[in-house]
Amino acid sequence: MLDISIPSLEKTLKNETLIREFCMKHIVVTEKFDGTKLTLIRNKLPRDNEDYSRNWIVSYKGNRIFAEEFVGVTDDMIQNSIGVCQYSRVFDHLRKVATNIDCDPGTEFFIEFIQNKPTLTRDYCTFGDLYLIAASTGVRYVELGMRVVSVDGIPASFSLEKVARWFGFKRPPVLWEGKVQTILNYKQMCKSFSDFTSVLGGQAEGVVIITEKGELYKIVAADQYDKAVRKAKKMRYALAEPAETDYWKHMKAQAISVVKGHIGTDMSTEQSLAEISKEVYEFEDEWFSATNSKKHIVVKKDDLMLTCKMELEMTNELINVDSVGVIPMAGRPVHSGHWCLIEKALQCSDVVYLFVSLKDRGEGSGRISSGNMLKIWKELLLPALDKRVIVRFCDSPVLDANRFVRSTSLSNEHMKFTFFGDHTDTVTRWNDSFLEKTFSDLVEQRRIDVFGVSREDTVQVSGTEMRKWLEERERDKFVMHLPQVLTYTQRAYYYDVLSDRPSELMTCPM
């Protein structure tokens, strides 16, 4: 995924010299919106004029959003929503424009969707607009059920203004253009753009500044990251504890009940979501066991629908499962030691979850990019994995693995979880003190365990050694320590991809 993070102007220009240099650059200032950042990927399927949704992957933070989630939603509901049914506007928009225009497969659009949401600090007067903020081409992506991961896109060379017109997206309005020229003007600019009225009504979040060289900076309102402000917005809809926790416990219990009626059928994920949506959005207020007087009934329906979606994913993956192995790994690269660890976990577990990092790793010619590694996962590793292994790509494997165990254990009261890893890692990551503090109930119920595997019992190799061999072009050593489930030709291809060398094989060997 293209990195669209923007540094703070005032934090970046730390001294007078840098400020003076900035003042002599031609800049364009546009409004920065406090919305939800969605990604739209044009997939590789042939254009389908009958069903636009077959050509687009819509996601939020790697979680796919399906058009079928909103079949039970009406226009009246959207007006009272602070949750997921507002996304139906995105699909309504695509439905209107997608059959008239198209773009190359692997094109990714980054959209700021203006919605009302408890986690957003701004109180705009207008909602529902879609602003195109960036685009990339040549994106590599992998769809994994309800999730999608994309990497390696390059900034699009086409005009964003032209594409925005084609797709009916808006572009952030230009507020000012020119050279600041003096430090006094610079200070006044920073002050003015930290507190002004948005084109959407209400206080603006801030601005994005683009220099003549394409450098990006931001200025935001002083309260944008204020914890007290964020908490105040959240508490408009949340209850004081323990009532809030109780609300979500009831919501989860009801979601489990709803989803049970859609498990064990031959329906696809999309079909199940459509049926669940019809059921949930027809609920009357008295049908909810969860109570919250602060929330409109539509908001409760949104909460239930989102909880049902998460429960559907989990239930589909964990049908008839009593034991779960959990392995967080950097996997840069995935070598034979990792594969032996996975096989060991499979011997002890009904299913195994891999939490794999998406971050680049290494230096110089030994650096392994997320894009190249995702290519290897997609073409070689995922097809070679046992069907009982479920992969989750993420930024923080250990943190996400711990969260997964915590959340999954709540709705699976008899399930046992085991963390697997290198022995030297497990003794520090999941020591007795940590387990007692984080998973005290599971420890008491003997539902959590840690299994450290020594390299003497698998393969004597580390990721550091693999990257060193890659950097020093030790091809034979590198290939020899890749997962032996792959053929030699596949392992050679693995090496060529990671070393950014043209492979003798133009396509991945089967």
Side-chain angles (χ1 to χ4, degrees), residues 144 149-151 327-334 338 353-362 368-377 381 390-401 429 467 494:
L144 295 169
V149 56
S150 63
V151 295
I327 306 176
M329 65 167 68
R332 293 291 187 267
V334 175
H338 291 126
Y353 277 77
L354 296 185
F355 291 86
V356 183
S357 173
L358 276 177
K359 296 178 181 178
D360 296 351
R361 196 153 187 181
I368 297 176
S369 73
S370 58
N372 283 344
M373 200 61 227
L374 187 66
K375 179 180 176 69
I376 293 300
W377 272 104
L381 300 180
I390 298 168
V391 180
R392 292 278 186 269
F393 294 106
C394 56
D395 291 330
S396 304
V398 175
L399 181 61
D400 280 36
R429 287 175 180 168
R467 291 189 294 275
Y494 193 145

Side-chain angles (χ1 to χ4, degrees), residues 250-378:
H250 280 85
M251 195 62 72
K252 187 172 183 66
Q254 195 150 17
I256 292 171
S257 177
V258 171
V259 169
K260 277 184 178 178
H262 303 276
I263 295 299
T265 68
D266 293 330
M267 290 191 295
S268 65
T269 295
E270 291 87 343
Q271 290 170 327
S272 294
L273 287 170
E275 293 301 313
I276 292 171
S277 178
K278 291 175 186 176
E279 183 175 343
V280 166
Y281 286 106
E282 288 180 357
F283 272 23
E284 299 293 340
D285 199 16
E286 59 268 20
W287 295 350
F288 283 93
S289 58
T291 57
N292 183 337
S293 59
K294 293 183 177 182
K295 291 186 173 180
H296 189 280
I297 184 172
V298 172
V299 180
K300 294 179 183 179
K301 292 178 180 181
D302 277 345
D303 289 346
L304 180 57
M305 184 64 210
L306 182 58
T307 309
C308 283
K309 182 181 178 183
M310 293 186 291
E311 193 62 32
L312 178 67
E313 178 184 43
M314 187 181 302
T315 304
N316 280 335
E317 292 175 347
L318 298 175
I319 294 176
N320 300 322
V321 168
D322 295 317
S323 58
V324 179
V326 182
I327 306 176
M329 65 167 68
R332 293 291 187 267
V334 175
H335 51 65
S336 53
H338 291 126
W339 213 262
C340 288
L341 183 62
I342 294 169
E343 291 175 340
K344 176 69 72 174
L346 282 169
Q347 292 172 12
C348 309
S349 315
D350 294 328
V351 298
V352 173
Y353 277 77
L354 296 185
F355 291 86
V356 183
S357 173
L358 276 177
K359 296 178 181 178
D360 296 351
R361 196 153 187 181
E363 302 293 336
S365 57
R367 181 173 179 270
I368 297 176
S369 73
S370 58
N372 283 344
M373 200 61 227
L374 187 66
K375 179 180 176 69
I376 293 300
W377 272 104
K378 185 175 183 178

